[in-house]
Amino acid sequence: MAQDQELAVSTLSEEPAWKQRAVERSTKAARLRAERKVQQFLEAAQEIIVAKGSTDFTVQEVVDRSRQSLRSFYQHFGGKHELLLALFENALRRSADEIRAAATIEVDPLAGLELAVRMLFASSLPGPESRHPLFTDFATQLLMSYPAEVRSAHEPMLTLFAELMGRVDATGQLRTELRPRRAAAMVMQSVMFLAQSTAVVADSEGSHPLTGDEVWNFCAGGFVRPLAG
């Protein structure tokens, strides 16, 4: 009897199905509008970065290009840093997808990882010809100020390198004292840091910047198991 009464009370207290559908529809529409606005801000910022070749822009420039309001911008982003973090994460994710598509085709796991290292190095190089100024202009500042967010943004790239390193490990070519994911993290971080440091290295080495060959040989020397005998 008590159970029947509890069931009746529960049934009466539930919102009608029509109201649930109306609320869900309204919430979905609001979410889609917010997503469109966010995308417009991201696209505007990306266009400015491409035009300038750097992340040196103001929030007002983004607002003007997106043809939205400053109030709307701050409804979706806490400031320029949050916008750059979003762009940084998107750029890393796209780069990881591009590298995955090329590297996973390689039958030889070590060749696949080598291709990934070279592609990541090339995309992380500084300079006006850089395909990803976010990796070079703002990456260090982001890492210092927002380490947790940057770690999260790097996760797709780290996952890819861990998979590629796992393939190398499966063939017995990884040093036995290393774990694939930790080795992948060290390689990924080394490649990006070396790319961003090429200007310093060039100045101290007679204007000879690092090459993809040097970076790959350096990294491979740290994780490839030496040949027996």
Side-chain angles (χ1 to χ4, degrees):
M1 182 66 177
Q3 184 177 2
D4 292 340
Q5 290 177 339
E6 290 178 1
L7 180 60
V9 171
S10 175
T11 301
L12 290 173
S13 65
E14 289 180 358
E15 291 185 340
W18 67 265
K19 183 179 288 186
Q20 294 180 24
R21 290 194 298 270
V23 170
E24 289 173 0
R25 188 176 295 111
S26 176
T27 302
K28 182 179 180 180
R31 185 173 63 250
L32 289 174
R33 285 195 299 272
E35 289 176 355
R36 282 196 296 269
K37 289 184 178 181
V38 167
Q39 188 59 37
Q40 288 173 344
F41 284 127
L42 293 175
E43 289 175 356
Q46 187 62 47
E47 289 171 2
I48 294 172
I49 289 174
V50 171
K52 291 189 172 184
S54 75
T55 57
D56 184 20
F57 61 84
T58 65
V59 168
Q60 189 61 55
E61 286 180 281
V62 175
V63 169
D64 292 343
R65 184 175 284 260
S66 68
R67 297 183 179 180
Q68 299 190 73
S69 68
L70 195 61
R71 178 174 176 273
S72 178
F73 177 88
Y74 283 108
Q75 284 179 333
H76 298 94
F77 297 100
K80 179 181 175 179
H81 69 281
E82 284 192 7
L83 176 65
L84 285 171
L85 278 167
L87 289 168
F88 184 68
E89 184 171 350
N90 284 348
L92 273 172
R93 190 176 297 277
R94 286 195 301 271
S95 184
D97 289 342
E98 292 172 2
I99 294 172
R100 181 187 297 279
T104 53
I105 294 175
E106 294 287 345
V107 176
D108 177 16
L110 196 59
L113 184 54
E114 178 180 354
L115 180 57
V117 165
R118 291 178 180 276
M119 289 181 68
L120 180 59
F121 178 72
S123 68
S124 302
L125 286 170
E129 72 283 356
S130 174
R131 293 179 55 219
H132 298 292
L134 283 163
F135 293 179
T136 57
D137 290 6
F138 213 69
T140 303
Q141 297 177 49
L142 287 173
L143 181 60
M144 295 296 291
S145 303
Y146 309 96
E149 290 84 350
V150 171
R151 281 196 298 271
S152 177
H154 277 94
E155 187 58 34
M157 188 71 76
L158 177 56
T159 297
L160 168 60
F161 270 76
E163 291 173 4
L164 295 173
M165 192 67 74
R167 293 175 60 196
V168 172
D169 184 38
T171 63
Q173 297 181 81
L174 182 66
R175 288 178 179 271
T176 56
E177 71 272 18
L178 295 176
R179 285 181 288 173
R181 186 174 176 86
R182 289 180 70 84
M186 288 188 285
V187 168
M188 183 191 77
Q189 292 170 16
S190 296
V191 171
M192 297 186 79
F193 178 81
L194 288 169
Q196 293 158 21
S197 303
T198 51
V200 176
V201 174
D203 289 342
S204 62
E205 293 292 335
S207 298
H208 294 295
L210 291 173
T211 66
D213 289 340
E214 289 177 296
V215 171
W216 166 247
N217 290 333
F218 173 79
C219 291
F223 69 81
V224 174
R225 181 186 294 183
L227 296 175

